[in-house]
Amino acid sequence: MSESNFKNFNHLKTHTQYSICEGAIKIDDLKDRTKELKIKALGICDTSNLCGAVEFSDKLSKVGTQPIIGTQINFKFEDTIGLLPLFALDENGYKKIIELSSKSYLENDELSDPHVDIKNLFELDSSGISIFSGTVFGLFGKLFDKGKFEEISKLYSTLNKSFNERFYLEIQRHNDHNEKAFEKFNLNQSSNLKIPLIATNEVFYLTKDMHEAHDALICIGNKTYINEKNRIKYSSEHYLKNDTEMTELFADIPEALQNNYNFPLRCSFRPLFSKPILPNISSTEDGDASDIIKKDSLNGLKDKFIKFFNLKSNEIENNKQFLIYKDRLDHELEIIIKMDYSSYFLIVSDYIKWAKNNDIPVGPGRGSGAGSLVAWCLSITDVDPIKYNLIFERFLNPDRISMPDFDIDFCEEKRDLVFKYLTQKYKNSVAHIITFGKLKARMVIRDVGRVLGLTYGFVDNI
């Protein structure tokens, strides 16, 4: 096989900043480096999540690089939990990987690391997914450390049958602890079980000079110190190496290189940004959401006039002030219905009314949502926007590009009851939005000082 076939080594196992306290690569920086090195295909393989997949896919494809989407999920075998990398070959495979990743969080107690039983892999319709054996720190690496060679061999054989030539034994050469012995074992297993080999490089940072900073990041994540002996420690080889470096490193295993080179040809999918899917609670039983919001908001407006303007119900219709409010209400409803937000308003109104009826303190309204008269009429906010000259169009108008949202404050002690109510009512249609904390320049000095073993006084002076 000619040397020219090996010229495009593909880094399939890149860990971005979404590999929390493990990856030290910002996707924007990765995009620039990819362009500089003229990399044709690149894989993301963040640990325990796919949070960076869409951003990675979008930004890398714009510089002419094929994005390959993967993740590492913890699997449990007997008493051992460890990571295995999975890659989406098509959209169907991507959805299955998302399902497994979600299952690792949803079907565990809150004290364990997110994981799924390895039986889930064998029961899975594996089409559209490729799986690798993982690193020396992964599931099989841990089993190898425990001397469970027969168990590994059986699992390899089962995975090979289940994944039908989409299971690869990974060969890595970072000079990490126990890596050479694990490689020798995998080479023998490949020969005996006829499982293909693939060369990979676990990339945690972009350039070699970032090794020390990355080592500190690992210590921050694991709450250990740099000078501790018994801690996770990676070699200085986990950077984005060029084609020449990787080709020379694996020159003695041409099969592993060739499989790496060919792997992007198996992948025909990248996730795209999707348009928002707005909820719709219209039904044959309850009627159309647009009719419900018109009726509920008008009734709500009448209730407000009885309560705050001291009018009797038979006086409301001819009241000049009421007609001003009614005119504004109709204007808002027209925009809300036209933009398909009726169900959204009704859902928010429902759980806020439920909270108020169950003695859970709710904030009066914050942000641009307080400018909506419909929101006031539906008890979403407690602020009369006309009284305070608040503008509805700041919250919602046909020219607004971004999705509007209500900022709602619930009592911290009882907010879990609101989540419980929503989950009981809407079942699997409820999700929490993730929030990422960042290690910013000023705050991170304290963390770095701690892992270096410096005194608090010295770090404070810095």
Side-chain angles (χ1 to χ4, degrees), residues 245-270:
E245 288 175 289
M246 295 310 301
T247 303
E248 287 174 2
L249 190 62
F250 291 103
D252 57 318
I253 317 177
E255 180 203 339
L257 272 176
Q258 188 62 37
N259 285 332
N260 173 285
Y261 175 70
N262 289 335
F263 190 77
L265 303 174
R266 305 191 79 166
C267 306
S268 59
F269 169 76
R270 76 176 181 91

Side-chain angles (χ1 to χ4, degrees), residues 64-81:
T65 299
Q66 178 190 348
I68 296 166
I69 307 301
T71 183
Q72 296 194 129
I73 297 174
N74 272 312
F75 288 93
K76 185 176 184 181
F77 173 71
E78 294 177 351
D79 61 342
T80 306
I81 295 175

Side-chain angles (χ1 to χ4, degrees), residues 438-453:
K438 287 190 177 181
L439 296 167
K440 297 259 179 130
R442 201 170 78 172
M443 287 303 291
V444 82
I445 290 171
R446 196 156 282 177
D447 287 314
V448 174
R450 180 185 61 77
V451 301
L452 290 173

Side-chain angles (χ1 to χ4, degrees), residues 40 78 132 179 185-186 192 205 284 312 356 370 419 435:
K40 291 186 178 178
E78 294 177 351
F132 293 1
E179 204 172 57
F185 174 80
N186 277 334
N192 295 337
Y205 42 92
T284 47
K312 291 177 183 174
K356 288 175 177 176
F419 296 146
T435 306

Side-chain angles (χ1 to χ4, degrees), residues 210-222:
M210 288 175 71
H211 167 64
E212 281 187 60
H214 178 259
D215 198 35
L217 178 69
I218 295 295
C219 290
I220 291 168
N222 291 300

